[in-house]
Amino acid sequence: MDRLSTATPHVPTTRALVRATAVALLIAGTILVTAVLPAEYGIDPLGTGKALGLSGMAAPAPEAAAVLPTGGRLTPVQEGPAALYPGPYKIDSRQFVLGPYEYVEYKYHLEKDASMVFSWMASADVIHDFHGDPDGQPSSAAQSYEKTTRRAADGSFTAPFSGIHGWYWENPGGDTITVKVTTAGFYTSAHEFHFDGTRQAREVRALDAIPASN
Amino acid sequence: MRTIRTMAIVAIVLGGALSLSAHEDFRVIGTISKQAGSAIDVKKREGTIVSIRIDKQTAISRDRKKVDAAALKVGETVVVDAYGDSEDDLLALEIRLVPPIGRGGQK
């Protein structure tokens, strides 16, 4: 008999398999905590995401940081019935054209308890979801404030948590619909998300964009 | 050596499972230009064609009623909600068969 026919195949013992699986789980867990969580969700318990330059990947859009105004966060301080902010409020107005069955999301970054006022109007009924995404959380953590079909809304809003807050508008039919939104508030940036997966940071305007009347 | 290889394979499998959560949502709107069982090609209004995979979890409907995958015929107008890394790598989560665009919409 030759050597090949008598060779016994090497079968790893259960103990060796358990050990190998445990070590693999440890490696996968390490990669999860040091790279995947910081890159995908902005969760960086060990600071490795920041050290490796991965933290920014979890941001809604690469351009997002570029539109943050100087002066940083607009966190309110409550003084009796008034809320005081470290900087002036911003203004913004956008118009979106939604082709058949298209949707867009438009959201502002607000600190917890920061406020804004808004008015939006569509040329026909749209599926609408006013919602917010907490900073550093996966999209599954989004909270819906109002979800219905409507043509317009006017209101004020105080952010229940720091994050991006705004609207999802969907064209439910085969005709083109226009949506126009106008806001003023203590937000620092605006973000536009399209149905085709593209996203864009939008610049919000400072108060000096409004000419003063005599 | 075998132990290291086993560890590497398990780590790769786990890593692959974790990366599934990195996918993003896409909506593709257009007409079916090709039907190949486990995938459809959708021609968008601007003319580009996107190939989208279908699996058993893909929900297919017309007028909010569930229909069979056989209803996905060439020429049908569809609204596909899918996920993937890009439009080149999409798995359909939901496919709605809608009236042809330009002849009135589905409410």
Side-chain angles (χ1 to χ4, degrees), chain B residues 19-31:
Chain B
S19 71
L20 285 176
S21 59
H23 290 155
E24 298 197 28
D25 296 329
F26 291 82
R27 173 168 289 185
V28 179
I29 304 159
T31 54

Side-chain angles (χ1 to χ4, degrees), chain A residues 139-171:
Chain A
S139 57
S140 57
Q143 291 183 26
S144 183
Y145 312 131
E146 193 209 16
K147 194 173 182 179
T148 185
T149 296
R150 59 163 71 228
R151 188 171 295 197
D154 309 287
S156 62
F157 171 75
T158 300
F161 50 82
S162 295
I164 53 173
H165 308 266
W167 301 268
Y168 167 95
W169 292 293
E170 178 180 339
N171 180 346

Side-chain angles (χ1 to χ4, degrees), chain A residues 19-107:
Chain A
R19 185 165 161 262
T21 304
V23 173
L25 279 169
L26 185 65
I27 293 168
T30 304
I31 293 168
L32 174 70
V33 174
T34 58
V36 178
L37 289 179
E40 297 293 342
Y41 304 109
I43 302 167
D44 192 11
L46 303 177
T48 49
K50 190 178 177 185
L52 297 171
L54 300 170
S55 302
M57 295 171 70
E63 306 90 338
V67 297
L68 286 173
T70 53
R73 297 178 173 186
L74 291 174
T75 306
V77 175
Q78 204 66 35
E79 295 282 350
L84 302 179
Y85 293 79
Y89 65 84
K90 304 293 187 298
I91 55 173
D92 190 32
S93 185
R94 299 278 164 193
Q95 183 167 292
F96 306 100
V97 177
L98 299 178
Y101 309 106
E102 292 179 358
Y103 68 79
V104 68
E105 285 188 72
Y106 195 62
K107 301 181 214 178

